[in-house]
Amino acid sequence: MCGIFGTLNRPIDKPVQVLNDLNHRGPDAHGILTAGPLSLLHTRLAIQELGSGGQQPMQRGRWILAFNGEIYNHRDLRRRYGLLLCQSASDTETLLHLWEQMGVAMLSELDGMFALAVFDTVTQRLWLARDRFGEKPLYVWQCGNELVFCSELRALQRHLPLIINRAALSRYCQLGYLFRNETPYESLRQVRPGYFECLDTQTLIKTEACWIPEQTRFRSVTKKEVSMTQLDHIITQSVHERIDTADREIGVLLSGGIDSGLIAAIAARYRPGIQTFTMSFTDGLYDEAPLAKLVADQYKTRHTAVRIDTQNLADEVLAILPRYGEPFMDSSALPSYWIAKAAREYVPVVLTGDGADELFGGYRRYAAARLGLFQLHSLVGRVCQVIRPLLPHPAHKQSLYSHLYRLSTMAQQSGARRYLGITTDVFGGYESALIEPAPLDELDMLMEQTHSLSGLQQLQTLDMDLLLPGDLLKKMDIATMAHSLEARSPFLGNKVAQLALSLPDSQKINRYRGLKTKILLRQLAQTYLPAGLANQPKRGFEVPLRQWLDGPLCSLTYDYLSQPTLIDTLVESTFIQQLLLQGHRFPPEKRAKLLWMMLSVEIWHRNLFRHDS
């Protein structure tokens, strides 16, 4: 795992400072290379090929490569394409040889996570590409004939004249994350997951295309049934590949849910005594440690429960959120950061359960989509419009009533608002508090493009395109790489994803017997996990956000939002003051979500030009 920084037609004034800014992503080695208009910097976290054979940037003939990520099938690709004479065991060298043979067609052969830059010293063209789900980030700033690309936004803030993009921030307020390839800055974008860009270094004219093979994308509803044997074999293979391609010790981030439990069980059978890590909260509602310990005990892992102490919570928030280089409102960023920090004391690589919910149908909202409620007829919407104002606001976020309340709200809406109502639901019911909300036309268009899919597949597709790269995988990348820890996600392997995308809805959500989510994965979990654990509800690194905002974060929230520097240009000042001073007027969980979103904007903005960490 690594950090990359490159420029076209623009000198790097302080290369040592850039390397220092990215050192947490790669503390084991630094590399610098200049070729014509291109300058490349690289920081390396050595996981495969620990010696100099994996040093980057790497050049072979006319081709130069800088790469961040891991390719789990690179040994198989060497055998298949006759690359057995490589000088090292590095997947970077495999990529360079493959590119020399195949060019951009190489991308569809890769099973892994990656962000890469390839430069042709003859034609003076540059290619930038990301993995299909967006596990690894790649940001691009372009102005005139100058271009800069980098693994992290925060590393760019010191070195570029950045201008705030208010339209992108307005969409952030509505969605709860930055939309698709947007960033909070003008002229600065992300390379889209599953896409490559080709740039002429003279004109910086860009061509862009999706490299994901058509047969591995979501298709219309299929009747294909997948056996437990198939599922077990493919997931097991994915776990083994992610263990075998690490030349250093590996662990597992273990929550109380079935996804990470399955990964831990398979990994522990393959590597007895593997290390596992989980979070432990004093609040029993959010404490997943007892369930995680059941798995750890059954498989005799070397288990660590990271006890959360909120005594200095405000200081922790101020230290963690600025690392994203953008507003980031997913509160599970805090425990993700803490558990990554604890795990890094023991191992440099961890496996996670990321992606299982999106692929196999793990969210409660998917049950509603399975019933057809995501594609409601106008009559049902009108009925909900009458009933909804009569319903009291839910008091508890995780209750069944809270879920039904959100569904009734969603049923009144259409297009983008319907999707937001059933997912992040930040400003639902309070849209009038937004100052000139940016349009969500592109989200409306995405929903229209998925119209031929079932309601469940439509919702899964949107989540994989938006929520997974925009929130969940970004969170894990920053949380782990802040501590020079590499996170690997077996559920996002090519074969696992291809199998999941071929499943009929009936093998994801059972419509007739209790609306169970993720039923195929639960059936597999019954063969691996302790009795009763396979039927547990979804668990992630949840936090008691409402209690925190009313307790240890109360002063911080008031200090930042009573005298805002930016959020009051996006949200009406009177509404912000009401949230702060008249909290009884709002549903408690809704108020907490709104305050946390606004706080994330203010913390990002005030730390924009601070570089003390």
Side-chain angles (χ1 to χ4, degrees):
M1 198 58 59
C2 310
I4 58 178
F5 185 100
T7 66
L8 281 175
N9 307 318
R10 181 185 176 92
I12 302 177
D13 293 332
K14 300 177 180 178
V16 174
Q17 185 63 66
V18 174
L19 292 171
N20 287 339
D21 290 342
L22 288 173
N23 187 68
H24 56 278
R25 296 190 73 93
D28 296 327
H30 294 173
I32 301 176
L33 185 149
T34 299
L38 175 74
S39 296
L40 274 178
L41 304 181
H42 188 272
T43 64
R44 184 184 180 212
L45 175 62
I47 303 297
Q48 291 191 57
E49 176 58 78
L50 305 185
S52 60
Q55 184 69 19
Q56 296 187 55
M58 187 178 289
Q59 184 167 5
R60 177 178 167 84
R62 64 192 284 183
W63 304 103
I64 297 172
L65 170 67
F67 161 59
N68 169 28
E70 299 288 350
I71 307 302
Y72 307 116
N73 67 335
H74 87 97
R75 294 170 184 165
D76 177 63
L77 292 173
R78 286 189 176 191
R79 290 188 291 269
R80 196 187 318 168
Y81 290 101
L83 306 179
L84 300 179
L85 297 180
C86 287
Q87 300 300 305
S88 73
S90 167
D91 54 352
T92 306
E93 187 177 1
T94 304
L95 289 178
L96 204 49
H97 280 266
L98 276 177
W99 186 276
E100 188 175 45
Q101 283 192 21
M102 307 172 64
V104 76
M106 169 194 78
L107 298 173
S108 62
E109 298 288 328
L110 306 181
D111 184 9
M113 53 181 178
F114 59 86
L116 58 82
V118 178
F119 183 66
D120 184 348
T121 58
V122 174
T123 65
Q124 302 282 286
R125 287 190 295 173
L126 174 72
W127 286 264
L128 303 172
R130 283 179 79 190
D131 62 72
R132 67 177 298 174
F133 290 110
E135 291 182 76
K136 291 294 104 185
L138 189 56
Y139 296 93
V140 184
W141 176 85
Q142 189 172 342
C143 186
N145 73 332
E146 295 183 339
L147 182 139
V148 180
F149 55 93
C150 186
S151 295
E152 283 190 11
L153 278 177
R154 187 159 171 77
L156 291 169
Q157 291 172 356
R158 191 198 306 266
H159 305 284
L160 292 176
L162 298 177
I163 300 171
I164 290 175
N165 184 336
R166 294 185 179 275
L169 289 176
S170 175
R171 274 184 283 274
Y172 166 82
C173 290
Q174 297 172 72
L175 273 71
Y177 50 88
L178 284 152
F179 184 69
R180 297 195 94 177
N181 66 334
E182 287 188 328
T183 73
Y185 308 105
E186 300 281 357
S187 305
L188 183 57
R189 65 181 183 272
Q190 296 184 73
V191 176
R192 290 177 58 185
Y195 277 72
F196 71 86
E197 299 181 2
C198 180
L199 297 112
D200 182 296
T201 60
Q202 299 302 313
T203 64
L204 287 198
I205 294 175
K206 177 187 72 170
T207 57
E208 180 185 49
C210 178
W211 59 259
I212 303 173
E214 184 66 33
Q215 67 269 22
T216 63
R217 301 183 204 176
F218 239 135
R219 300 178 297 280
S220 57
V221 180
T222 174
K223 296 184 181 298
K224 179 182 178 182
E225 295 288 323
V226 172
S227 71
M228 291 291 296
T229 303
Q230 287 176 278
L231 181 66
D232 192 1
H233 172 72
I234 289 175
I235 293 178
T236 297
Q237 183 183 38
S238 189
V239 172
H240 290 182
E241 287 174 345
R242 279 149 185 78
I243 293 174
D244 288 341
T245 51
D247 295 333
R248 300 174 70 180
E249 190 171 3
I250 196 165
V252 183
L253 299 187
L254 178 61
S255 73
I258 68 169
D259 306 332
S260 62
L262 263 174
I263 299 303
I266 294 169
R269 284 185 176 183
Y270 192 56
R271 288 279 177 90
I274 197 169
Q275 300 205 56
T276 53
F277 308 89
T278 195
M279 304 296 302
S280 179
F281 284 101
T282 54
D283 187 333
L285 180 63
Y286 295 89
D287 191 9
E288 59 201 10
L291 291 174
K293 191 174 186 300
L294 293 176
V295 179
D297 287 347
Q298 176 169 319
Y299 288 96
K300 296 181 174 58
T301 68
R302 289 173 288 159
H303 188 61
T304 300
V306 182
R307 192 74 176 172
I308 298 304
D309 180 3
T310 60
Q311 185 174 358
N312 299 312
L313 185 59
D315 291 338
E316 293 280 338
V317 169
L318 291 176
I320 293 170
L321 292 192
R323 287 187 170 274
Y324 285 83
E326 64 182 48
F328 196 79
M329 72 161 286
D330 186 339
S331 57
S332 65
L334 303 178
S336 297
Y337 182 91
W338 292 324
I339 197 170
K341 181 179 180 180
R344 188 59 179 92
E345 295 180 11
Y346 299 87
V347 296
V349 188
V350 290
L351 303 181
T352 79
D354 289 342
D357 289 311
E358 291 77 11
L359 285 164
F360 289 92
Y363 295 117
R364 286 195 300 180
R365 61 179 179 269
Y366 290 164
R370 175 78 170 111
L371 290 174
L373 296 181
F374 192 55
Q375 296 177 319
L376 288 170
H377 297 295
S378 58
L379 175 62
V380 181
R382 287 200 297 270
V383 171
C384 289
Q385 203 164 12
V386 173
I387 296 175
R388 164 67 172 73
L390 305 177
L391 300 174
H393 287 287
H396 302 289
K397 174 184 176 182
Q398 296 178 327
S399 67
L400 176 61
Y401 176 74
S402 174
H403 182 58
L404 294 174
Y405 182 88
R406 288 181 63 186
L407 290 179
S408 70
T409 303
M410 177 271 294
Q412 306 174 63
Q413 299 165 328
S414 61
R417 294 294 173 192
R418 175 166 291 178
Y419 176 70
L420 297 184
I422 203 173
T423 52
T424 51
D425 187 34
V426 182
F427 263 94
Y430 300 98
E431 290 87 355
S432 61
L434 290 163
I435 300 173
E436 297 184 7
L440 301 173
D441 298 345
E442 193 173 347
L443 178 51
D444 285 326
M445 193 164 58
L446 282 174
M447 294 188 67
E448 184 60 32
Q449 290 170 355
T450 59
H451 183 70
S452 63
L453 301 176
S454 71
L456 174 56
Q457 288 188 335
Q458 184 181 28
L459 194 50
Q460 286 182 275
T461 300
L462 291 169
D463 281 354
M464 284 187 283
D465 192 25
L466 302 174
L467 193 60
L468 189 60
D471 179 353
L472 305 177
L473 296 178
K474 184 181 294 182
K475 171 190 68 183
M476 187 55 65
D477 176 76
I478 294 295
T480 53
M481 293 309 296
H483 305 291
S484 305
L485 178 71
E486 177 174 300
R488 300 181 171 191
S489 305
F491 285 114
L492 297 179
N494 284 355
K495 292 179 181 178
V496 179
Q498 188 170 349
L499 178 142
L501 295 177
S502 74
L503 291 175
D505 289 356
S506 60
Q507 288 194 288
K508 301 170 192 168
I509 309 287
N510 192 321
R511 187 160 53 183
Y512 303 108
R513 288 178 289 180
L515 279 176
K516 275 190 178 179
T517 59
K518 211 160 36 182
I519 58 173
L520 189 62
L521 217 53
R522 290 184 189 279
Q523 290 172 10
L524 180 62
Q526 288 174 355
T527 67
Y528 279 96
L529 302 183
L533 195 60
N535 292 318
Q536 287 290 323
K538 171 181 167 46
R539 296 175 186 272
F541 295 142
E542 292 272 352
V543 301
L545 183 61
R546 176 168 60 87
Q547 294 89 327
W548 283 359
L549 288 170
D550 288 338
L553 296 181
C554 183
S555 295
L556 174 71
T557 304
Y558 183 82
D559 289 346
Y560 270 71
L561 296 183
S562 61
Q563 296 181 318
T565 61
L566 179 63
I567 191 63
D568 57 337
T569 67
L570 302 167
V571 180
E572 294 288 353
S573 297
T574 53
F575 182 74
I576 299 173
Q577 295 304 311
Q578 288 172 356
L579 282 169
L580 286 174
L581 304 175
Q582 301 175 42
H584 62 277
R585 298 178 54 180
F586 299 89
E589 296 292 349
K590 186 72 169 183
R591 175 177 179 266
K593 181 180 289 189
L594 287 164
L595 285 175
W596 183 251
M597 184 279 294
M598 296 176 188
L599 182 62
S600 73
V601 173
E602 283 298 304
I603 289 176
W604 161 73
H605 189 240
R606 295 194 195 188
N607 284 274
L608 195 52
F609 300 107
R610 295 178 187 174
H611 304 286
D612 52 1
S613 63

